[in-house]
mmCIF file of all heavy atoms in Angstrom:
data_model
loop_
_atom_site.group_PDB
_atom_site.id
_atom_site.type_symbol
_atom_site.label_atom_id
_atom_site.label_comp_id
_atom_site.label_asym_id
_atom_site.label_seq_id
_atom_site.Cartn_x
_atom_site.Cartn_y
_atom_site.Cartn_z
ATOM 1 N N TYR Z 443 23.671 -17.386 0.836
ATOM 2 C CA TYR Z 443 22.785 -16.768 -0.144
ATOM 3 C C TYR Z 443 22.999 -17.383 -1.521
ATOM 4 O O TYR Z 443 22.041 -17.638 -2.273
ATOM 5 C CB TYR Z 443 23.021 -15.256 -0.194
ATOM 6 C CG TYR Z 443 22.308 -14.477 0.893
ATOM 7 C CD1 TYR Z 443 22.242 -14.963 2.198
ATOM 8 C CD2 TYR Z 443 21.711 -13.258 0.630
ATOM 9 C CE1 TYR Z 443 21.608 -14.245 3.198
ATOM 10 C CE2 TYR Z 443 21.065 -12.528 1.625
ATOM 11 C CZ TYR Z 443 21.020 -13.023 2.901
ATOM 12 O OH TYR Z 443 20.384 -12.324 3.883
ATOM 13 N N HIS Z 444 24.268 -17.629 -1.864
ATOM 14 C CA HIS Z 444 24.594 -18.250 -3.153
ATOM 15 C C HIS Z 444 23.980 -19.651 -3.244
ATOM 16 O O HIS Z 444 23.433 -20.037 -4.287
ATOM 17 C CB HIS Z 444 26.112 -18.316 -3.298
ATOM 18 C CG HIS Z 444 26.591 -18.795 -4.631
ATOM 19 N ND1 HIS Z 444 25.995 -18.440 -5.818
ATOM 20 C CD2 HIS Z 444 27.622 -19.631 -4.962
ATOM 21 C CE1 HIS Z 444 26.644 -19.005 -6.824
ATOM 22 N NE2 HIS Z 444 27.615 -19.745 -6.334
ATOM 23 N N ARG Z 445 24.041 -20.392 -2.152
ATOM 24 C CA ARG Z 445 23.447 -21.732 -2.132
ATOM 25 C C ARG Z 445 21.942 -21.661 -2.325
ATOM 26 O O ARG Z 445 21.362 -22.433 -3.105
ATOM 27 C CB ARG Z 445 23.770 -22.426 -0.802
ATOM 28 C CG ARG Z 445 23.055 -23.761 -0.612
ATOM 29 C CD ARG Z 445 23.415 -24.409 0.694
ATOM 30 N NE ARG Z 445 23.183 -23.539 1.841
ATOM 31 C CZ ARG Z 445 21.985 -23.325 2.386
ATOM 32 N NH1 ARG Z 445 20.906 -23.893 1.847
ATOM 33 N NH2 ARG Z 445 21.854 -22.548 3.433
ATOM 34 N N ILE Z 446 21.293 -20.714 -1.645
ATOM 35 C CA ILE Z 446 19.839 -20.569 -1.772
ATOM 36 C C ILE Z 446 19.476 -20.164 -3.202
ATOM 37 O O ILE Z 446 18.521 -20.680 -3.794
ATOM 38 C CB ILE Z 446 19.313 -19.529 -0.769
ATOM 39 C CG1 ILE Z 446 19.487 -20.049 0.664
ATOM 40 C CG2 ILE Z 446 17.829 -19.218 -1.028
ATOM 41 C CD1 ILE Z 446 19.205 -19.012 1.734
ATOM 42 N N LEU Z 447 20.250 -19.252 -3.767
ATOM 43 C CA LEU Z 447 19.993 -18.826 -5.150
ATOM 44 C C LEU Z 447 20.120 -20.004 -6.112
ATOM 45 O O LEU Z 447 19.272 -20.200 -6.988
ATOM 46 C CB LEU Z 447 20.972 -17.718 -5.531
ATOM 47 C CG LEU Z 447 20.735 -16.353 -4.864
ATOM 48 C CD1 LEU Z 447 21.958 -15.468 -5.007
ATOM 49 C CD2 LEU Z 447 19.505 -15.663 -5.447
ATOM 50 N N LYS Z 448 21.162 -20.800 -5.938
ATOM 51 C CA LYS Z 448 21.359 -21.958 -6.817
ATOM 52 C C LYS Z 448 20.232 -22.976 -6.656
ATOM 53 O O LYS Z 448 19.825 -23.609 -7.637
ATOM 54 C CB LYS Z 448 22.717 -22.610 -6.532
ATOM 55 C CG LYS Z 448 23.902 -21.795 -7.007
ATOM 56 C CD LYS Z 448 25.173 -22.620 -7.043
ATOM 57 C CE LYS Z 448 25.569 -23.115 -5.669
ATOM 58 N NZ LYS Z 448 26.856 -23.880 -5.726
ATOM 59 N N GLU Z 449 19.724 -23.131 -5.430
ATOM 60 C CA GLU Z 449 18.616 -24.056 -5.199
ATOM 61 C C GLU Z 449 17.372 -23.645 -5.969
ATOM 62 O O GLU Z 449 16.506 -24.479 -6.270
ATOM 63 C CB GLU Z 449 18.304 -24.125 -3.703
ATOM 64 C CG GLU Z 449 19.357 -24.879 -2.890
ATOM 65 C CD GLU Z 449 19.120 -24.781 -1.392
ATOM 66 O OE1 GLU Z 449 18.191 -24.031 -0.976
ATOM 67 O OE2 GLU Z 449 19.852 -25.438 -0.626
ATOM 68 N N HIS Z 450 17.282 -22.342 -6.292
ATOM 69 C CA HIS Z 450 16.148 -21.828 -7.067
ATOM 70 C C HIS Z 450 16.520 -21.622 -8.540
ATOM 71 O O HIS Z 450 15.820 -20.919 -9.275
ATOM 72 C CB HIS Z 450 15.642 -20.524 -6.453
ATOM 73 C CG HIS Z 450 14.953 -20.713 -5.141
ATOM 74 N ND1 HIS Z 450 15.639 -20.853 -3.948
ATOM 75 C CD2 HIS Z 450 13.625 -20.825 -4.822
ATOM 76 C CE1 HIS Z 450 14.776 -21.009 -2.955
ATOM 77 N NE2 HIS Z 450 13.559 -21.000 -3.461
ATOM 78 N N GLY Z 451 17.624 -22.229 -8.948
ATOM 79 C CA GLY Z 451 18.029 -22.164 -10.342
ATOM 80 C C GLY Z 451 18.646 -20.854 -10.763
ATOM 81 O O GLY Z 451 18.750 -20.555 -11.958
ATOM 82 N N ILE Z 452 19.058 -20.044 -9.794
ATOM 83 C CA ILE Z 452 19.630 -18.728 -10.098
ATOM 84 C C ILE Z 452 21.138 -18.802 -9.911
ATOM 85 O O ILE Z 452 21.641 -18.746 -8.781
ATOM 86 C CB ILE Z 452 19.012 -17.638 -9.199
ATOM 87 C CG1 ILE Z 452 17.483 -17.622 -9.347
ATOM 88 C CG2 ILE Z 452 19.593 -16.269 -9.534
ATOM 89 C CD1 ILE Z 452 16.777 -16.719 -8.353
ATOM 90 N N THR Z 453 21.850 -18.967 -10.999
ATOM 91 C CA THR Z 453 23.311 -19.062 -10.948
ATOM 92 C C THR Z 453 23.997 -17.870 -11.589
ATOM 93 O O THR Z 453 25.221 -17.739 -11.528
ATOM 94 C CB THR Z 453 23.789 -20.354 -11.641
ATOM 95 O OG1 THR Z 453 23.310 -20.355 -12.992
ATOM 96 C CG2 THR Z 453 23.262 -21.586 -10.911
ATOM 97 N N ASP Z 454 23.210 -17.008 -12.222
ATOM 98 C CA ASP Z 454 23.737 -15.790 -12.827
ATOM 99 C C ASP Z 454 22.580 -14.810 -12.981
ATOM 100 O O ASP Z 454 21.492 -15.024 -12.442
ATOM 101 C CB ASP Z 454 24.412 -16.078 -14.172
ATOM 102 C CG ASP Z 454 23.473 -16.753 -15.167
ATOM 103 O OD1 ASP Z 454 22.243 -16.793 -14.921
ATOM 104 O OD2 ASP Z 454 23.958 -17.252 -16.194
ATOM 105 N N GLY Z 455 22.802 -13.724 -13.706
ATOM 106 C CA GLY Z 455 21.737 -12.756 -13.927
ATOM 107 C C GLY Z 455 21.759 -11.618 -12.929
ATOM 108 O O GLY Z 455 22.678 -11.470 -12.125
ATOM 109 N N LEU Z 456 20.718 -10.815 -12.984
ATOM 110 C CA LEU Z 456 20.656 -9.558 -12.241
ATOM 111 C C LEU Z 456 20.039 -9.743 -10.855
ATOM 112 O O LEU Z 456 18.972 -10.330 -10.706
ATOM 113 C CB LEU Z 456 19.833 -8.548 -13.049
ATOM 114 C CG LEU Z 456 19.949 -7.068 -12.713
ATOM 115 C CD1 LEU Z 456 21.390 -6.591 -12.782
ATOM 116 C CD2 LEU Z 456 19.073 -6.258 -13.665
ATOM 117 N N ILE Z 457 20.729 -9.205 -9.844
ATOM 118 C CA ILE Z 457 20.258 -9.244 -8.462
ATOM 119 C C ILE Z 457 20.335 -7.844 -7.877
ATOM 120 O O ILE Z 457 21.305 -7.115 -8.106
ATOM 121 C CB ILE Z 457 21.097 -10.218 -7.614
ATOM 122 C CG1 ILE Z 457 20.869 -11.658 -8.076
ATOM 123 C CG2 ILE Z 457 20.744 -10.098 -6.125
ATOM 124 C CD1 ILE Z 457 21.698 -12.675 -7.332
ATOM 125 N N CYS Z 458 19.318 -7.468 -7.110
ATOM 126 C CA CYS Z 458 19.289 -6.160 -6.451
ATOM 127 C C CYS Z 458 19.516 -6.338 -4.953
ATOM 128 O O CYS Z 458 18.761 -7.048 -4.287
ATOM 129 C CB CYS Z 458 17.956 -5.466 -6.694
ATOM 130 S SG CYS Z 458 17.811 -3.855 -5.887
ATOM 131 N N ASP Z 459 20.548 -5.703 -4.444
ATOM 132 C CA ASP Z 459 20.873 -5.734 -3.017
ATOM 133 C C ASP Z 459 20.366 -4.445 -2.382
ATOM 134 O O ASP Z 459 20.944 -3.379 -2.579
ATOM 135 C CB ASP Z 459 22.384 -5.880 -2.838
ATOM 136 C CG ASP Z 459 22.793 -6.091 -1.392
ATOM 137 O OD1 ASP Z 459 21.941 -6.541 -0.594
ATOM 138 O OD2 ASP Z 459 23.956 -5.812 -1.064
ATOM 139 N N LEU Z 460 19.271 -4.543 -1.633
ATOM 140 C CA LEU Z 460 18.659 -3.373 -1.004
ATOM 141 C C LEU Z 460 19.404 -2.989 0.270
ATOM 142 O O LEU Z 460 19.928 -3.846 0.974
ATOM 143 C CB LEU Z 460 17.197 -3.668 -0.674
ATOM 144 C CG LEU Z 460 16.263 -3.908 -1.868
ATOM 145 C CD1 LEU Z 460 14.906 -4.392 -1.385
ATOM 146 C CD2 LEU Z 460 16.127 -2.643 -2.704
ATOM 147 N N ALA Z 461 19.396 -1.681 0.567
ATOM 148 C CA ALA Z 461 20.098 -1.162 1.748
ATOM 149 C C ALA Z 461 21.504 -1.746 1.786
ATOM 150 O O ALA Z 461 21.943 -2.294 2.799
ATOM 151 C CB ALA Z 461 19.322 -1.476 3.021
ATOM 152 N N CYS Z 462 22.226 -1.598 0.694
ATOM 153 C CA CYS Z 462 23.488 -2.308 0.498
ATOM 154 C C CYS Z 462 24.637 -1.751 1.314
ATOM 155 O O CYS Z 462 25.709 -2.355 1.382
ATOM 156 C CB CYS Z 462 23.866 -2.316 -0.981
ATOM 157 S SG CYS Z 462 24.249 -0.676 -1.663
ATOM 158 N N GLY Z 463 24.450 -0.584 1.932
ATOM 159 C CA GLY Z 463 25.503 -0.019 2.767
ATOM 160 C C GLY Z 463 26.777 0.235 1.991
ATOM 161 O O GLY Z 463 26.773 0.828 0.913
ATOM 162 N N SER Z 464 27.896 -0.249 2.518
ATOM 163 C CA SER Z 464 29.186 -0.042 1.861
ATOM 164 C C SER Z 464 29.497 -1.123 0.841
ATOM 165 O O SER Z 464 30.637 -1.245 0.393
ATOM 166 C CB SER Z 464 30.305 0.030 2.917
ATOM 167 O OG SER Z 464 30.376 -1.200 3.632
ATOM 168 N N GLY Z 465 28.487 -1.931 0.485
ATOM 169 C CA GLY Z 465 28.626 -2.878 -0.611
ATOM 170 C C GLY Z 465 29.299 -4.190 -0.260
ATOM 171 O O GLY Z 465 29.756 -4.907 -1.159
ATOM 172 N N ASN Z 466 29.336 -4.550 1.017
ATOM 173 C CA ASN Z 466 30.032 -5.777 1.408
ATOM 174 C C ASN Z 466 29.402 -7.027 0.799
ATOM 175 O O ASN Z 466 30.100 -7.883 0.255
ATOM 176 C CB ASN Z 466 30.083 -5.896 2.935
ATOM 177 C CG ASN Z 466 31.071 -4.935 3.550
ATOM 178 O OD1 ASN Z 466 32.204 -4.819 3.090
ATOM 179 N ND2 ASN Z 466 30.657 -4.212 4.575
ATOM 180 N N MET Z 467 28.081 -7.166 0.901
ATOM 181 C CA MET Z 467 27.430 -8.323 0.308
ATOM 182 C C MET Z 467 27.308 -8.156 -1.206
ATOM 183 O O MET Z 467 27.456 -9.130 -1.962
ATOM 184 C CB MET Z 467 26.042 -8.525 0.924
ATOM 185 C CG MET Z 467 25.307 -9.756 0.405
ATOM 186 S SD MET Z 467 26.105 -11.317 0.846
ATOM 187 C CE MET Z 467 25.601 -11.459 2.558
ATOM 188 N N THR Z 468 27.040 -6.942 -1.650
ATOM 189 C CA THR Z 468 26.908 -6.664 -3.080
ATOM 190 C C THR Z 468 28.142 -7.127 -3.838
ATOM 191 O O THR Z 468 28.049 -7.799 -4.868
ATOM 192 C CB THR Z 468 26.705 -5.152 -3.315
ATOM 193 O OG1 THR Z 468 25.942 -4.577 -2.258
ATOM 194 C CG2 THR Z 468 26.009 -4.892 -4.635
ATOM 195 N N ASP Z 469 29.309 -6.768 -3.329
ATOM 196 C CA ASP Z 469 30.553 -7.117 -4.012
ATOM 197 C C ASP Z 469 30.815 -8.619 -3.961
ATOM 198 O O ASP Z 469 31.306 -9.201 -4.934
ATOM 199 C CB ASP Z 469 31.721 -6.363 -3.395
ATOM 200 C CG ASP Z 469 33.024 -6.638 -4.129
ATOM 201 O OD1 ASP Z 469 33.112 -6.299 -5.322
ATOM 202 O OD2 ASP Z 469 33.941 -7.218 -3.515
ATOM 203 N N ARG Z 470 30.500 -9.246 -2.841
ATOM 204 C CA ARG Z 470 30.722 -10.698 -2.748
ATOM 205 C C ARG Z 470 29.856 -11.448 -3.755
ATOM 206 O O ARG Z 470 30.313 -12.406 -4.385
ATOM 207 C CB ARG Z 470 30.460 -11.174 -1.320
ATOM 208 C CG ARG Z 470 31.612 -10.858 -0.362
ATOM 209 C CD ARG Z 470 31.205 -11.028 1.097
ATOM 210 N NE ARG Z 470 32.348 -10.934 1.984
ATOM 211 C CZ ARG Z 470 32.897 -9.784 2.385
ATOM 212 N NH1 ARG Z 470 32.403 -8.633 1.931
ATOM 213 N NH2 ARG Z 470 33.930 -9.775 3.210
ATOM 214 N N LEU Z 471 28.610 -11.042 -3.913
ATOM 215 C CA LEU Z 471 27.739 -11.691 -4.889
ATOM 216 C C LEU Z 471 28.206 -11.397 -6.318
ATOM 217 O O LEU Z 471 28.101 -12.256 -7.203
ATOM 218 C CB LEU Z 471 26.294 -11.246 -4.682
ATOM 219 C CG LEU Z 471 25.635 -11.757 -3.389
ATOM 220 C CD1 LEU Z 471 24.246 -11.151 -3.212
ATOM 221 C CD2 LEU Z 471 25.540 -13.281 -3.365
ATOM 222 N N ARG Z 472 28.740 -10.209 -6.539
ATOM 223 C CA ARG Z 472 29.319 -9.892 -7.852
ATOM 224 C C ARG Z 472 30.442 -10.868 -8.183
ATOM 225 O O ARG Z 472 30.512 -11.408 -9.304
ATOM 226 C CB ARG Z 472 29.872 -8.464 -7.865
ATOM 227 C CG ARG Z 472 30.618 -8.108 -9.158
ATOM 228 C CD ARG Z 472 31.405 -6.809 -9.030
ATOM 229 N NE ARG Z 472 32.522 -6.910 -8.100
ATOM 230 C CZ ARG Z 472 33.722 -7.416 -8.411
ATOM 231 N NH1 ARG Z 472 33.939 -7.893 -9.634
ATOM 232 N NH2 ARG Z 472 34.690 -7.442 -7.521
ATOM 233 N N ARG Z 473 31.296 -11.113 -7.200
ATOM 234 C CA ARG Z 473 32.420 -12.009 -7.428
ATOM 235 C C ARG Z 473 31.977 -13.458 -7.605
ATOM 236 O O ARG Z 473 32.747 -14.291 -8.092
ATOM 237 C CB ARG Z 473 33.431 -11.887 -6.282
ATOM 238 C CG ARG Z 473 34.244 -10.603 -6.358
ATOM 239 C CD ARG Z 473 35.312 -10.536 -5.294
ATOM 240 N NE ARG Z 473 34.846 -9.857 -4.086
ATOM 241 C CZ ARG Z 473 35.051 -10.292 -2.859
ATOM 242 N NH1 ARG Z 473 35.662 -11.443 -2.648
ATOM 243 N NH2 ARG Z 473 34.623 -9.611 -1.828
ATOM 244 N N MET Z 474 30.748 -13.761 -7.202
ATOM 245 C CA MET Z 474 30.201 -15.103 -7.405
ATOM 246 C C MET Z 474 29.525 -15.247 -8.765
ATOM 247 O O MET Z 474 28.958 -16.288 -9.072
ATOM 248 C CB MET Z 474 29.217 -15.430 -6.275
ATOM 249 C CG MET Z 474 29.895 -15.663 -4.940
ATOM 250 S SD MET Z 474 28.697 -15.937 -3.600
ATOM 251 C CE MET Z 474 29.805 -16.416 -2.254
ATOM 252 N N GLY Z 475 29.561 -14.176 -9.569
ATOM 253 C CA GLY Z 475 29.087 -14.274 -10.936
ATOM 254 C C GLY Z 475 27.771 -13.598 -11.238
ATOM 255 O O GLY Z 475 27.261 -13.711 -12.360
ATOM 256 N N TYR Z 476 27.224 -12.839 -10.285
ATOM 257 C CA TYR Z 476 25.951 -12.164 -10.504
ATOM 258 C C TYR Z 476 26.171 -10.723 -10.962
ATOM 259 O O TYR Z 476 27.170 -10.091 -10.597
ATOM 260 C CB TYR Z 476 25.109 -12.183 -9.218
ATOM 261 C CG TYR Z 476 24.761 -13.574 -8.762
ATOM 262 C CD1 TYR Z 476 25.454 -14.172 -7.714
ATOM 263 C CD2 TYR Z 476 23.749 -14.307 -9.385
ATOM 264 C CE1 TYR Z 476 25.153 -15.460 -7.290
ATOM 265 C CE2 TYR Z 476 23.437 -15.599 -8.966
ATOM 266 C CZ TYR Z 476 24.151 -16.164 -7.925
ATOM 267 O OH TYR Z 476 23.851 -17.449 -7.519
ATOM 268 N N ASP Z 477 25.243 -10.211 -11.745
ATOM 269 C CA ASP Z 477 25.235 -8.799 -12.120
ATOM 270 C C ASP Z 477 24.471 -8.057 -11.022
ATOM 271 O O ASP Z 477 23.298 -8.341 -10.782
ATOM 272 C CB ASP Z 477 24.539 -8.601 -13.469
ATOM 273 C CG ASP Z 477 25.261 -9.318 -14.596
ATOM 274 O OD1 ASP Z 477 26.503 -9.270 -14.621
ATOM 275 O OD2 ASP Z 477 24.578 -9.922 -15.438
ATOM 276 N N MET Z 478 25.124 -7.108 -10.382
ATOM 277 C CA MET Z 478 24.568 -6.538 -9.159
ATOM 278 C C MET Z 478 24.110 -5.084 -9.306
ATOM 279 O O MET Z 478 24.741 -4.265 -9.970
ATOM 280 C CB MET Z 478 25.606 -6.608 -8.028
ATOM 281 C CG MET Z 478 26.022 -8.017 -7.651
ATOM 282 S SD MET Z 478 24.636 -9.064 -7.110
ATOM 283 C CE MET Z 478 24.010 -8.118 -5.706
ATOM 284 N N ILE Z 479 22.976 -4.808 -8.645
ATOM 285 C CA ILE Z 479 22.501 -3.453 -8.399
ATOM 286 C C ILE Z 479 22.504 -3.254 -6.889
ATOM 287 O O ILE Z 479 21.998 -4.104 -6.148
ATOM 288 C CB ILE Z 479 21.074 -3.234 -8.927
ATOM 289 C CG1 ILE Z 479 21.006 -3.444 -10.443
ATOM 290 C CG2 ILE Z 479 20.570 -1.827 -8.572
ATOM 291 C CD1 ILE Z 479 19.591 -3.439 -10.991
ATOM 292 N N GLY Z 480 23.070 -2.158 -6.419
ATOM 293 C CA GLY Z 480 23.050 -1.844 -4.989
ATOM 294 C C GLY Z 480 22.218 -0.599 -4.748
ATOM 295 O O GLY Z 480 22.466 0.445 -5.363
ATOM 296 N N VAL Z 481 21.223 -0.723 -3.865
ATOM 297 C CA VAL Z 481 20.354 0.401 -3.517
ATOM 298 C C VAL Z 481 20.651 0.821 -2.081
ATOM 299 O O VAL Z 481 20.618 -0.009 -1.161
ATOM 300 C CB VAL Z 481 18.866 0.014 -3.654
ATOM 301 C CG1 VAL Z 481 17.963 1.097 -3.069
ATOM 302 C CG2 VAL Z 481 18.520 -0.232 -5.120
ATOM 303 N N GLU Z 482 20.958 2.100 -1.883
ATOM 304 C CA GLU Z 482 21.332 2.585 -0.550
ATOM 305 C C GLU Z 482 20.940 4.054 -0.427
ATOM 306 O O GLU Z 482 21.147 4.842 -1.359
ATOM 307 C CB GLU Z 482 22.837 2.414 -0.330
ATOM 308 C CG GLU Z 482 23.407 3.088 0.893
ATOM 309 C CD GLU Z 482 22.789 2.602 2.199
ATOM 310 O OE1 GLU Z 482 22.567 1.381 2.334
ATOM 311 O OE2 GLU Z 482 22.530 3.444 3.080
#
């Protein structure tokens, strides 16, 4: 996902993780430098 985001010029900023569950992907993207919103 990080590679795809970078291919579209998205290396930081706000991302919304829908149906985020227990936050497994949400937290990983946070640690990659994104500002995260988790919707669950």
Side-chain angles (χ1 to χ4, degrees):
Y443 278 41
H444 186 39
R445 173 179 55 79
I446 293 171
L447 289 164
K448 288 195 297 182
E449 288 173 354
H450 290 81
I452 304 172
T453 57
D454 57 12
L456 198 56
I457 293 178
C458 179
D459 187 22
L460 295 171
C462 66
S464 62
N466 286 313
M467 183 65 77
T468 325
D469 183 63
R470 282 166 171 81
L471 291 175
R472 174 192 67 82
R473 285 185 268 135
M474 289 176 172
Y476 298 102
D477 298 318
M478 298 301 301
I479 299 172
V481 170
E482 170 60 41

